[in-house]
């Protein structure tokens, strides 16, 4: 597999079952890029860039880039949701 984010020009080979990570800093949020393109339907995407089997065509994920404050609020809420489940 290969995690490929074409709009950010980044790619990382991946092996199922092994942790793989890399870091990069986007320069525009999804909303900012939508405004720049004047296209409210635009979304960043993640694809598998290696032909890896029968479901390769289905390895697609939308990626939302937000401001750090919005992310911090989201992650805090996820933590609280998980804590309340236990």
């Amino acid at each position: 597999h290969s995690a490929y984010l074409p709009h950010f020009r980044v790619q990382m080979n991946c092996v199922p079952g092994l942790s793989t990570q890399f870091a990069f800093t986007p320069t525009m949020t999804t909303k900012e890029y939508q405004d720049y393109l004047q296209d409210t339907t635009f979304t960043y995407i993640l694809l598998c860039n290696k032909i890896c089997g029968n479901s390769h065509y289905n390895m697609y994920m939308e990626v939302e880039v937000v401001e750090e404050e919005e992310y911090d609020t989201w992650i805090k809420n996820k933590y609280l949701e998980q804590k309340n489940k236990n």
Side-chain angles (χ1 to χ4, degrees):
H1 300 286
S2 185
Y4 176 48
L5 296 140
H7 299 100
F8 303 114
R9 298 186 205 173
V10 297
Q11 179 172 312
M12 172 67 76
N13 289 334
C14 309
V15 177
L18 296 178
S19 294
T20 304
Q21 55 181 281
F22 63 100
F24 64 96
T25 304
T27 57
M28 289 188 188
T29 65
T30 301
K31 175 71 172 109
E32 289 169 338
Y33 206 57
Q34 287 174 342
D35 292 345
Y36 173 76
L37 295 174
Q38 298 179 357
D39 180 1
T40 58
T41 65
F42 170 81
T43 185
Y44 292 115
I45 57 172
L46 179 142
L47 306 166
C48 181
N49 202 30
K50 301 285 186 217
I51 298 176
C52 55
N54 292 339
S55 294
H56 170 74
Y57 73 93
N58 208 22
M59 293 182 174
Y60 170 94
M61 180 184 301
E62 293 184 359
V63 176
E64 183 176 2
V65 177
V66 296
E67 294 290 343
E68 188 172 1
E69 298 80 20
E70 186 176 346
Y71 173 78
D72 289 343
T73 300
W74 177 82
I75 202 75
K76 179 181 174 185
N77 289 336
K78 289 293 179 186
Y79 170 78
L80 292 174
E81 287 174 15
Q82 186 63 32
K83 187 177 178 182
N84 288 336
K85 286 182 181 179
N86 296 332

